[in-house]
Amino acid sequence: MNTEILKIDTYVQKPELLQPFAQMIKSGELVAFPTETVYGLGADATNANAVKKIFEVKNRPANNPLIAHISDISTLDAITKNIPAEFETLFSSFWPGALTVVLDKKEIIPDVVCAGGSTVAVRCPSHPIANELIRLSGVPVVAPSANLSTKPSPTRFEHVYDDLYGKIAGIIDGGECEIGIESTVIVKIGHNAVKILRPGAITKKMLNEKGFEVQIDEHVLAAVSNGEKVASPGMLHKHYAPKAQMVLVRGNDDKVIEYIRKTASESNDIGVLCFDNEQKLFGESVCLSYGNPDNPTSLSHNLFNALREFDKTDIKKIYARVIPPEGIGLGIYNRMLRAANFNVVAV
Ligand code: TXA
Ligand code: MG
């Protein structure tokens, strides 16, 4: 298939350039586009055949539902019902932005979007390209991360190109995604109470500050055991995985560094996912930094790119430095746990 590519400066809005891509979405084709979290693979959320193409192209399990993206809150009523009044605070505080809410769906959203369930996850992205593309399409746009299933989510144009070029109608190159991990997904569990199903840049503390009690789903930090029921099917599937086996190393800095240094020196096919200025500590190993632990958003911004960089090398095992699972660190740690298939060494 011919894939149309458009490179566009995020900060210069050129709606006329987006028009042909909006047209592709309207006519049931797939378009990948940048958002503030990760690149999304978009299709008309009201067109079941278009949505099916997403599952085919990504090789995504059919029981993992999609997020419907809207360009402004006025569309929310058209696709969902029973919207809790208290969510108004969340919409006015965090939309457009990296918050996804699970709500009761209306008929217009076909079953394939929601894996047959009665709810639909909705997000209003803040990225100007994403927002304008959705507005021009005139329909809600489902958009999972624009990667092949199981691979690290795409945060740069090159990642999307590597996974999907030749398989979809269009890719919009808007440079690097600022946040770098996917949105926070929440669901109402009581009056002024929500549960975080997937942690992201909108943190527990930020939701607390808006007057909400917040539970963190147990599967954010724990593997799902066989046959266990989950609140969000995304928790069931293999995710974000680099080719090499990853091991997270937790503990105090000196001990962690010593453990990784010693282990890495015993073999020549080990890589280290480290912090800035640590490369020199690990001798001959392939070391890639994903940022500065004092600035956690630098870590979320670079994480998936670093995992994809390791895929270009021959290393068989990656030892990774981690930050505590707090604030946006919870989202980062959640993605790394899955990428490592819950392989953690505490030293
Ligand atoms: O930041 C993001 O959310 C990105 C960008 C492109 O917007 N999108 C994204 O989509 O991450 P995806 O499909 O990769 O992840 C959707 C997540 C999955 O974990 C899925 O299980 C959960 O949202 N989800 C979707 N619909 C749901 C529902 N009705 N109930 C519970 N969880 C749901
Ligand atoms: Mg995904």
Side-chain angles (χ1 to χ4, degrees):
M1 163 171 227
N2 177 48
T3 302
E4 204 73 46
I5 291 176
L6 170 67
K7 189 170 161 54
I8 190 170
D9 181 343
T10 313
Y11 301 99
V12 184
Q13 291 229 6
K14 293 178 180 167
E16 69 280 7
L17 294 179
L18 294 175
Q19 198 72 61
F21 292 84
Q23 197 54 49
M24 290 172 197
I25 288 182
K26 270 188 214 170
S27 57
E29 297 298 331
L30 307 186
V31 175
F33 58 89
T35 83
E36 69 278 22
T37 58
V38 301
Y39 274 79
L41 176 60
D44 177 353
T46 64
N47 177 340
N49 285 327
V51 178
K52 277 183 200 141
K53 286 187 196 167
I54 286 189
F55 287 88
E56 282 159 22
V57 164
K58 278 183 59 101
N59 196 19
R60 179 181 176 106
N63 67 351
N64 194 7
L66 302 172
I67 297 173
H69 295 67
I70 56 178
S71 62
D72 99 54
I73 185 151
S74 64
T75 322
L76 191 61
D77 274 333
I79 61 173
T80 66
K81 56 189 178 187
N82 311 324
I83 305 165
E86 77 247 34
F87 274 23
E88 290 305 324
T89 323
L90 299 180
F91 300 142
S92 60
S93 310
F94 302 118
W95 275 6
L99 182 72
T100 296
V101 294
V102 174
L103 295 167
D104 291 341
K105 83 173 188 82
K106 278 190 177 163
E107 279 294 294
I108 188 173
I109 299 296
D111 287 343
V112 58
V113 169
C114 315
S118 59
T119 59
V120 62
V122 187
R123 174 164 111 81
C124 175
S126 64
H127 194 296
I129 295 174
N131 203 278
E132 184 63 10
L133 179 71
I134 297 162
R135 197 184 67 78
L136 289 172
S137 304
V139 289
V141 173
V142 281
S145 46
N147 54 293
L148 296 176
S149 224
T150 81
K151 297 231 302 176
S153 297
T155 54
R156 300 182 180 189
F157 166 74
E158 291 72 22
H159 305 160
V160 181
Y161 183 91
D162 289 347
D163 282 14
L164 300 176
Y165 182 74
K167 298 178 179 152
I168 60 177
I171 306 177
I172 301 170
D173 174 359
E176 297 181 12
C177 300
E178 195 180 326
I179 295 172
I181 58 171
E182 304 86 341
S183 61
T184 303
V185 180
I186 59 165
V187 64
K188 178 181 161 93
I189 52 166
H191 184 64
N192 276 316
V194 294
K195 185 185 260 192
I196 293 182
L197 302 179
R198 181 179 69 182
I202 305 300
T203 61
K204 176 177 192 282
K205 183 160 171 271
M206 291 161 78
L207 296 165
N208 286 149
E209 282 167 2
K210 298 296 165 193
F212 281 77
E213 267 175 54
V214 179
Q215 264 183 36
I216 311 271
D217 192 279
E218 58 179 312
H219 297 113
V220 163
L221 290 176
V224 177
S225 34
N226 266 349
E228 207 176 342
K229 218 172 147 10
V230 293
S232 185
M235 294 163 173
L236 287 169
H237 304 291
K238 187 179 168 191
H239 257 109
Y240 319 118
K243 290 184 191 139
Q245 191 204 334
M246 185 150 93
V247 182
L248 312 187
V249 190
R250 282 186 80 157
N252 105 11
D253 278 349
D254 292 344
K255 281 191 174 161
V256 168
I257 289 168
E258 195 40 43
Y259 176 87
I260 298 178
R261 196 214 308 259
K262 188 162 173 295
T263 317
S265 69
E266 287 161 5
S267 169
N268 55 11
D269 54 11
I270 284 178
V272 186
L273 179 59
C274 65
F275 298 140
D276 287 350
N277 306 316
E278 289 186 349
Q279 281 96 334
K280 58 188 179 304
L281 299 174
F282 303 109
E284 301 294 294
S285 307
V286 178
C287 290
L288 291 174
S289 168
Y290 67 120
N292 173 356
D294 296 327
N295 173 14
T297 39
S298 69
L299 302 176
S300 64
H301 179 84
N302 292 313
L303 174 66
F304 290 135
N305 184 58
L307 296 183
R308 281 178 179 258
E309 286 298 311
F310 277 119
D311 281 352
K312 297 178 186 165
T313 72
D314 298 329
I315 58 143
K316 296 283 183 300
K317 217 166 178 181
I318 303 167
Y319 285 90
R321 297 275 274 130
V322 293
I323 58 165
E326 289 149 19
I328 194 176
L330 180 64
I332 298 168
Y333 195 74
N334 164 270
R335 304 313 189 277
M336 293 179 77
L337 263 179
R338 277 167 174 73
N341 200 14
F342 293 88
N343 228 316
V344 182
V345 175
V347 296

